[in-house]
Amino acid sequence: MKLKTYILLFLIVLSTTLVSAQVKFEAKVSKTQLGINERLRVDFEMNTDGDNFNPPSFADFTVVGGPNQSVSHSWINGVRSFSKTYSYFLAPKKTGSITINQATIEIDGEIYKTSPVTVQITTAVSRPNDPDNVENVADDNVHLIAEISKTNPYLNEAVTVTYKLYVSEDIGVSNFREKSNPRYNDFWSQNIDLKGTQIQKTEFKGRSYRYLVVRKTVLYPQKSGKLEIEPLSLDLTVQVPTKKRDFFGSVLTTEVHKTVSAGSKTLTVKALPENGKPADFSGAVGDFNFTLTTSKTDLNATESLQARVEVTGKGNLKLFQLPKLTIPSALEVYEPEHTENIRTLSEGMQGSIVDNYTIVPQYKGKYPIPNVDFTYFDLKSETYKTISSGQLVVNVLDGPTNNSNSDSHIATTGEGKQRVTMNNDQFAFVKSKANLEPIESKPFFNSSAYWSALLLPLMAIPLAMVFRRKKAQRAADVTGNKIRKADRLAKKYLGFAKKALGQKEAFYIALEKALHNYLKAKLRIETSDLSKDRIQQLLLKRGVDAVVVSDFLSILDSCELARYTPFSEVTMQHDYDKAAKTISVIDKQIR
């Protein structure tokens, strides 16, 4: 009887151990039905630590938060319990039934997948008119406004759109990112650099607000009529104070994710007047000066001079062409070198554009460069204005005399010149391959090729034996194989990160994976031990300089921070270069 009891207890313990050792990887959602104006939380949970986690695409959602990672360890009655979770906060893009596809992770060399989860998205749900509701408080205290400098501009007149985020003094905003960017169809557009922009205080809707300029764009309408400016939308994390206080009496806050939009705007663009429009008008709109100058007027034949056609001022400098220079046909002229020195400010484009011609006279004499006219539409007077350069005379002092009557012929640059056409058959008579053969051939027997074919297989036998032995030793080196695998993964993900430059989320996920796999290879630790304190302790213990360790940890901070703040492509390139350099330095210093 006692033997049966022991056997039963042994089977119970064995089954419990097998169940506890079973790997679980599943997806959980905070709710299965929600309104399109609500948020969904998705948790991917596992009971065994793994590597190379890949979430689904979330194509029908906007990721407003995450991934947030949490790990927990516990011991109950001598049994170890482990849990690791990746959490995402999602905003649905459409109504209807949406399926969240499978996520994958690698655990002990095996790939595990979650089951797809389906949620039902309904139309916007009404929220209770509760002044203490955090979402209502966020709606009432955060606003995105688009301010337009002019709603009724002329065609090709500069219009500045300034997007301001207004936040009341009662709440805070921890971070924001652009959710949808305006495409500015039918406009030439350029964003203004906002480095150094400060938060300012103002009165808005009769209350005290703070505001920050989040984007400023200069637009030049390219057609007349009613043109729509698409809205800019931001995803925000809003910190709303509650009525609760902590142990020290400070007000506790709660975070809520919110999307704000500036709304679409409409401009009524006026066409340029047809009355009085000159025939040579090329589309210049603004306030300009025009000059035609030469580097010298007296020179000898075969010497060169520079003729400079320049427009300076304020207006659509990048959107029109300079008038062409015409010269006497006795002067040889080359295609002009076009240069621009233009700055785009809040008021529009300012600067200069230049066509620089190189002219070489061939004969002695005096050659006039005719007057050149430049026409533009002046916005102040709303009329067309023409500026004339005046005639210039080039005096060739010394050179051969031109006996033809072509001195006075005027030609536009490039006129009368023909392109040389190359004939692919002009060297057809030259045979490129001779295909020569020796008169007397040597026998194969006792030749170098004969002895090589005979001896090489014999020499390959010891090489094959050495190769097989090395392969067996390498296969038996379990620790070394893990290190080499992690090292390959680090190089692989660094390559993925380089390819993903410009795509913030994909870039920083790949970069973080590369750093983690590198640490696992060098420090021989598992993913669950990759805390910053543990990493710093181990690197310093292995002889890595403290400055290099600090650089490595700062890259990990950038990977985490990138999930919540906007990063430019320049910042991504800097982080990639810094990661590659830091890994190289650690390789040299680590013992």
Side-chain angles (χ1 to χ4, degrees), residues 459-570:
M459 296 174 62
I461 293 175
L463 293 176
M465 295 175 63
V466 173
F467 175 76
R468 186 174 181 179
R469 186 181 303 164
K470 291 292 184 182
K471 185 177 180 181
Q473 292 176 354
R474 188 182 182 95
D477 184 11
V478 177
T479 303
N481 287 334
K482 287 184 177 180
I483 294 173
R484 284 187 288 272
K485 180 180 179 182
D487 193 36
R488 287 196 302 270
L489 285 173
K491 294 179 180 178
K492 172 183 175 182
Y493 286 116
L494 271 179
F496 287 162
K498 189 172 184 179
K499 293 179 182 178
L501 280 171
Q503 306 171 26
K504 185 191 73 172
E505 185 173 349
F507 170 78
Y508 280 103
I509 288 175
L511 185 61
E512 187 176 29
K513 287 181 178 179
L515 297 175
H516 283 175
N517 280 299
Y518 174 77
L519 288 176
K520 290 169 62 179
K522 291 298 178 183
L523 302 180
R524 303 183 184 182
I525 59 177
E526 297 299 328
T527 305
S528 57
D529 293 329
L530 288 175
S531 66
K532 293 179 182 177
D533 293 338
R534 180 65 172 161
I535 293 170
Q536 184 178 18
Q537 178 185 358
L538 291 175
L539 288 177
L540 292 175
K541 186 177 180 181
R542 297 285 294 275
V544 180
D545 189 73
V547 176
V548 179
V549 175
S550 177
D551 288 342
F552 190 91
L553 295 178
S554 69
I555 301 170
L556 290 177
D557 290 337
S558 294
C559 293
E560 296 177 1
L561 187 63
R563 299 167 183 157
Y564 311 103
T565 57
F567 271 60
S568 67
E569 187 169 349
V570 175

Side-chain angles (χ1 to χ4, degrees), residues 148-351:
I148 300 177
S149 62
K150 193 169 187 178
T151 58
N152 189 27
Y154 274 106
L155 184 71
N156 266 314
E157 181 181 359
V159 177
T160 304
V161 184
T162 305
Y163 298 93
K164 294 182 178 180
L165 179 64
Y166 287 85
V167 181
S168 75
E169 295 183 346
D170 299 329
I171 65 172
V173 173
S174 59
N175 61 73
F176 66 88
R177 68 179 181 87
E178 293 185 1
K179 179 181 179 182
S180 62
N181 297 322
R183 288 177 293 180
Y184 302 122
N185 295 329
D186 303 319
F187 295 91
W188 182 95
S189 64
Q190 182 166 331
N191 292 329
I192 304 299
D193 188 4
L194 296 177
K195 290 182 179 178
T197 303
Q198 301 293 326
I199 298 175
Q200 303 182 48
K201 293 186 177 182
T202 186
E203 290 288 326
F204 182 72
K205 293 185 177 182
R207 296 170 53 194
S208 296
Y209 271 79
R210 299 157 294 168
Y211 77 87
L212 175 69
V213 177
V214 296
R215 177 190 273 207
K216 185 176 289 188
T217 306
V218 175
L219 307 177
Y220 284 88
Q222 297 301 291
K223 71 178 186 179
S224 58
K226 290 188 178 296
L227 304 182
E228 182 180 1
I229 301 176
E230 295 182 355
L232 171 68
S233 299
L234 300 179
D235 271 332
L236 311 171
T237 301
V238 184
Q239 297 173 329
V240 181
T242 65
K243 294 183 178 180
K244 300 178 181 179
R245 296 181 179 271
D246 61 13
F247 179 79
F248 300 99
S250 301
V251 176
L252 297 176
T253 61
T254 184
E255 289 189 349
V256 58
H257 295 283
K258 175 177 172 57
T259 300
V260 292
S261 174
S264 61
K265 302 292 181 180
T266 301
L267 299 184
T268 303
V269 181
K270 297 180 290 186
L272 298 177
E274 294 294 330
N275 185 25
K277 180 187 290 187
D280 61 350
F281 177 68
S282 62
V285 177
D287 184 14
F288 302 106
N289 292 317
F290 174 69
T291 58
L292 168 61
T293 58
T294 58
S295 59
K296 50 189 171 182
T297 56
D298 296 329
L299 71 164
N300 296 326
T302 71
E303 293 181 353
S304 65
L305 63 89
Q306 305 295 319
R308 182 183 179 91
V309 179
E310 181 177 17
V311 171
T312 60
K314 175 183 175 183
N316 61 332
L317 287 163
K318 294 184 179 181
L319 303 177
F320 64 85
Q321 292 184 341
L322 290 171
K324 294 295 183 181
L325 183 65
T326 57
I327 64 168
S329 58
L331 300 179
E332 184 177 5
V333 61
Y334 296 89
E335 286 298 320
E337 178 186 359
H338 184 79
T339 58
E340 296 179 351
N341 182 17
I342 301 172
R343 297 175 299 161
T344 303
L345 307 177
S346 299
E347 300 80 16
M349 287 185 271
Q350 298 180 14

